[in-house]
């Protein structure tokens, strides 16, 4: 019997229901016991429902979201044959959940979370960088109870409170590198900031609009990871240096970036076409090594994150509401669900690695989930067959690889609209999915530059205080305290300051309270507020 088939064997005695089929190879007994000891949740006496069994029961709840506690237990024990096992009531299983708490499953997720692909795995890298992405999901509903509402509040368009889930995902395998969740009113950037410690210098992180705040960009830059993200429409970016591919160097806060402004024209199979504008900012400033058109095509990989949420919310959970009626139970259930998802992704990545040249993106998540469910129910026979190094789930995945992805486009639909009869915004996209015949990317060069500023700023470290830059700028702003100044206007007024230096220093002085930042690229000597007309 190979190592894989041996690890399929269920435990003896009261521990027998504690298994997850072939997924037990990813979450072995030794790991679960170590996590329970570390979090001090291991039972002090041998119960009919040991703590280890409770962990596997929590994970099985995610595999079978459509049934209650007792039926989940029946599925765990259905394939154990004549092995004597406990017959707990739903209350006993609920008490088991309360005894375990949140710490063990959260620690288990932290152990399993992380990138799964090798650098040579197809579709996971861009040059020397592993592509990852930030994105949030606010569609996970929880039961509408008083305790859940006190924690999460009530949403405006449906009766169920919802969680805000923020994850850092490896786009090539859609594996979870990290996750946080909580009330939706905290904001995506705040949640993403808690995951910045997971970024590494060999990563290129992608994100959608809303993550381009000055403080967030500076924090990402401090990790030494590279980034490629979309800018909001109201973000003003000065043109510091034009590049040969149509992009230009700019600065956001104190971070030097490269901005790519492009228009994408999509032609569909029925002859219709529509256009869309994208403006990206990236820390990859070498236009020769990383052309603008290549980065525009790479940005499409951010949508792999949406596929990860689809697998989590709809393939595993089938869109169902979580079970727990209190915040502690919701947290425990969410960490269990995320751990189960990561275990499935691990098996899928291992299957792709067992067949060189296989893109993990072509392994079907639905097949993995269904096979894992079948193995939980058929536990008695899983240790008697040898399915090779890929395992049974891997063999099924490789035998039913998805075809090459077709380029398609359709209107983006809201899953939980306020009214099913409300009209969506018409952006030119077709109502149904259509094949894309051609995709044309046109890079827009920035408008003509204003009068050139000096290439180097004057060194005034040894000047008298009255002639130093800070003193001169403060004096200029106080001449007309209500005027809103732009960095270029200030730099042009003095004629000895580069625009990059002006942006960086104004941002620092505003953070220190010497001046006030009124809006994007607008500064004044005093705080300014708009007043309604009488």
């Amino acid at each position: 019997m190979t190592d894989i088939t041996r690890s399929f064997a269920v435990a003896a005695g009261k521990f027998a229901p504690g298994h997850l089929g072939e997924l037990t190879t990813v979450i072995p007994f030794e790991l679960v016991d170590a996590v329970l000891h570390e979090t001090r949740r291991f039972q002090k006496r041998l119960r009919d429902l040991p703590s280890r069994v409770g962990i596997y029961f929590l994970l099985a709840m995610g595999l079978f979201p459509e049934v209650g506690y007792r039926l989940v237990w029946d599925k765990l024990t259905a394939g154990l044959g004549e092995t004597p096992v406990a017959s707990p009531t739903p209350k006993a299983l609920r008490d088991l959940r309360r005894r375990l708490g949140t710490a063990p499953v959260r620690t288990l997720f932290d152990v399993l979370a992380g990138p799964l692909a090798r650098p040579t795995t197809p579709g996971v890298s861009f040059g020397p960088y592993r592509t990852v992405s930030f994105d949030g999901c606010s569609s996970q509903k929880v039961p509408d109870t008083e305790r859940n509402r006190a924690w999460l509040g009530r949403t405006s368009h449906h009766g169920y409170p919802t969680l805000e889930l923020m994850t850092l995902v490896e786009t090539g395998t859609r594996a979870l590198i990290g996750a946080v969740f909580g009330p939706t009113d905290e904001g995506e950037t705040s949640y993403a900031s808690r995951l910045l410690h997971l970024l590494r210098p060999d990563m290129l992180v992608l994100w959608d609009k809303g993550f381009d705040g000055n403080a967030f960009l500076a924090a990402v830059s401090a990790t030494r990871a590279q980034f490629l993200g979309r800018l909001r429409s109201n973000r003003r970016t000065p043109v510091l240096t034009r590049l040969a591919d149509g992009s230009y160097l700019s600065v956001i806060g104190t971070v030097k970036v490269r901005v790519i402004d492009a228009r994408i024209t999509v032609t569909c199979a029925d002859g219709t076409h529509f256009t869309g504008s994208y403006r990206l900012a990236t820390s990859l400033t070498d236009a020769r090594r990383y052309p603008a058109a290549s980065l525009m095509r790479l940005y499409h990989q951010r949508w792999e994150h949406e596929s990860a949420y689809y697998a989590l919310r709809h393939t595993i959970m089938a869109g169902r509401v979580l079970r727990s009626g209190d915040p502690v139970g919701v947290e425990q259930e969410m960490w269990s669900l995320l751990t189960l998802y990561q275990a499935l992704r691990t098996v899928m990545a291992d299957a792709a690695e067992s067949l060189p040249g296989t893109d993990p993106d072509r392994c079907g998540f639905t097949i993995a989930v269904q096979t894992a469910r079948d193995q939980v129910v058929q536990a008695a026979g899983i240790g008697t067959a040898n399915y090779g190094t890929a395992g049974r789930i891997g063999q099924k995945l490789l035998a039913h690889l998805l075809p090459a992805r077709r380029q398609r486009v359709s209107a983006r639909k809201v899953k939980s609209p306020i009214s099913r009869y409300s009209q969506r915004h018409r952006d030119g996209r077709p109502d149904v999915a259509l094949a894309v015949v051609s995709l044309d990317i046109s890079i827009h060069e920035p408008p003509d530059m204003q009068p050139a500023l000096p290439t180097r700023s004057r060194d005034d470290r040894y000047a008298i205080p009255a002639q130093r830059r800070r003193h001169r700028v403060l004096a200029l702003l106080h001449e007309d305290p209500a005027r809103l100044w732009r960095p270029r206007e200030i730099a042009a007024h003095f004629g000895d300051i580069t625009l990059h230096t002006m942006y960086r220093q104004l941002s620092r002085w505003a953070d220190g309270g010497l001046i006030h930042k009124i809006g994007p690229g607008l500064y004044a000597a005093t705080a300014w507020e708009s007043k309604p007309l009488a």
Side-chain angles (χ1 to χ4, degrees):
M1 185 161 37
T2 67
D3 290 340
I4 285 185
T5 57
R6 183 166 57 250
S7 63
F8 282 1
V10 296
K14 296 180 179 181
F15 293 96
H19 71 90
L20 214 61
E22 187 181 330
L23 294 183
T24 313
T25 61
V26 182
I27 311 174
F29 305 145
E30 297 81 5
L31 173 59
V32 175
D33 288 344
V35 166
L36 289 169
H37 279 292
E38 180 181 344
T39 56
R40 299 181 179 181
R41 290 296 187 272
F42 204 83
Q43 69 274 352
K44 295 181 180 179
R45 59 183 175 83
L46 186 56
R47 302 169 177 264
D48 287 337
L49 298 177
S51 297
R52 182 208 294 175
V53 173
I55 295 295
Y56 288 106
F57 173 76
L58 286 170
L59 298 173
M61 282 170 47
L63 270 181
F64 305 101
E66 72 281 1
V67 298
Y69 288 168
R70 179 63 203 190
L71 290 179
V72 173
W73 180 265
D74 290 343
K75 290 181 181 294
L76 281 174
T77 58
L80 298 181
E82 301 300 326
T83 304
V85 294
S87 181
T89 64
K91 181 182 181 304
L93 294 170
R94 183 170 65 250
D95 291 342
L96 175 62
R97 287 190 59 188
R98 291 174 176 172
R99 189 171 79 241
L100 289 172
T102 302
V105 282
R106 180 169 186 174
T107 304
L108 187 59
F109 171 78
D110 290 338
V111 172
L112 295 180
L116 297 178
R118 300 176 183 175
T120 56
T121 302
V124 302
S125 300
F126 179 75
Y129 301 107
R130 183 189 300 266
T131 57
V132 299
S133 65
F134 276 123
D135 199 12
C137 173
S138 58
S139 60
Q140 180 60 64
K141 302 180 182 67
V142 303
D144 186 19
T145 65
E146 183 177 350
R147 284 177 290 181
N148 284 342
R149 287 196 303 271
W151 177 39
L152 302 173
R154 186 190 292 273
T155 55
S156 59
H157 55 278
H158 54 73
Y160 293 104
T162 55
L163 278 172
E164 177 75 36
L165 172 64
M166 172 59 61
T167 56
L168 178 64
V169 164
E170 181 183 40
T171 58
T173 62
R174 303 170 198 168
L176 299 177
I177 302 174
V180 291
F181 53 84
T184 57
D185 56 1
E186 183 170 335
E188 289 187 340
T189 304
S190 175
Y191 283 120
S193 298
R194 304 184 194 177
L195 301 176
L196 292 181
H197 66 282
L198 299 172
L199 295 179
R200 301 198 305 252
D202 65 339
M203 290 181 175
L204 172 61
V205 57
L206 314 175
W207 59 63
D208 199 5
K209 291 187 294 185
F211 292 89
D212 58 346
N214 293 9
F216 187 77
L217 286 179
V220 173
S221 181
T223 67
R224 297 174 57 201
Q226 306 298 325
F227 61 84
L228 174 66
R230 193 173 178 184
L231 295 177
R232 289 171 290 184
S233 59
N234 63 347
R235 168 67 77 177
R236 296 179 180 273
T237 51
V239 181
L240 302 181
T241 304
R242 291 170 175 263
L243 301 178
D245 62 351
S247 60
Y248 60 92
L249 299 182
S250 184
V251 62
I252 298 178
T254 59
V255 179
K256 187 176 181 180
V257 299
R258 175 176 161 217
V259 178
I260 306 171
D261 194 356
R263 179 172 291 273
I264 300 178
T265 303
V266 179
T267 304
C268 301
D270 64 349
T272 61
H273 64 274
F274 67 94
T275 59
S277 297
Y278 284 79
R279 191 159 59 116
L280 308 182
T282 179
S283 57
L284 301 175
T285 56
D286 190 341
R288 292 185 178 180
R289 189 174 185 182
Y290 307 107
S294 298
L295 292 178
M296 273 290 171
R297 294 187 180 92
L298 172 68
Y299 181 71
H300 184 71
Q301 295 297 317
R302 191 199 70 80
W303 288 98
E304 299 291 353
H305 208 132
E306 303 288 347
S307 299
Y309 283 140
Y310 185 90
L312 185 69
R313 283 277 294 111
H314 297 279
T315 306
I316 296 181
M317 290 294 296
R320 288 181 171 84
V321 180
L322 295 181
R323 306 168 189 258
S324 306
D326 61 273
V328 175
V330 170
E331 290 186 22
Q332 183 193 61
E333 196 172 351
M334 276 300 299
W335 287 121
S336 302
L337 185 61
L338 295 172
T339 302
L340 173 65
Y341 173 90
Q342 185 69 2
L344 288 165
R345 287 295 181 192
T346 302
V347 172
M348 295 170 67
D350 290 345
E353 292 292 346
S354 68
L355 185 62
T358 302
D359 190 340
D361 183 52
R362 298 298 85 201
C363 294
F365 194 82
T366 302
I367 297 175
V369 172
Q370 188 56 55
T371 308
R373 289 171 177 167
D374 293 342
Q375 287 192 348
V376 169
V377 178
Q378 301 169 3
I382 56 179
T384 61
N386 183 357
Y387 297 102
T389 58
R392 183 180 178 184
I393 298 178
Q395 291 293 340
K396 277 213 168 186
L397 289 170
L398 297 178
H400 299 85
L401 289 175
L402 301 176
R405 178 176 292 175
R406 298 169 296 159
Q407 285 191 330
R408 295 179 297 170
V409 66
S410 66
R412 188 174 185 181
K413 299 178 178 63
V414 179
K415 299 297 187 301
S416 298
I418 297 176
S419 170
R420 60 182 298 184
Y421 302 106
S422 59
Q423 293 184 352
R424 66 175 177 85
H425 176 66
R426 294 290 176 180
D427 57 359
R429 300 189 184 192
D431 293 329
V432 296
L434 293 176
V436 174
V437 176
S438 64
L439 196 68
D440 180 61
I441 300 176
S442 175
I443 306 297
H444 286 186
E445 295 189 7
D448 293 336
M449 299 179 64
Q450 302 180 32
L453 294 173
T455 57
R456 295 182 59 184
S457 297
R458 190 188 71 166
D459 186 356
D460 60 355
R461 288 177 295 178
Y462 306 106
I464 61 176
Q467 295 181 357
R468 290 181 182 174
R469 184 175 303 121
R470 184 172 66 177
H471 182 87
R472 290 185 297 152
V473 170
L474 291 177
L476 175 64
L477 266 60
H478 279 92
E479 289 179 2
D480 188 357
R483 177 176 174 179
L484 304 183
W485 289 86
R486 297 189 182 280
R488 173 173 284 278
E489 296 173 342
I490 301 175
H493 177 82
F494 293 108
D496 58 359
I497 310 170
T498 66
L499 187 56
H500 180 270
T501 299
M502 197 74 267
Y503 265 92
R504 179 168 48 84
Q505 293 188 332
L506 287 175
S507 179
R508 187 169 67 244
W509 296 338
D511 291 340
L514 290 175
I515 60 178
H516 296 274
K517 185 173 183 179
I518 308 302
L522 293 175
Y523 296 88
T526 59
W528 179 88
E529 295 182 0
S530 61
K531 297 181 179 179
L533 297 177

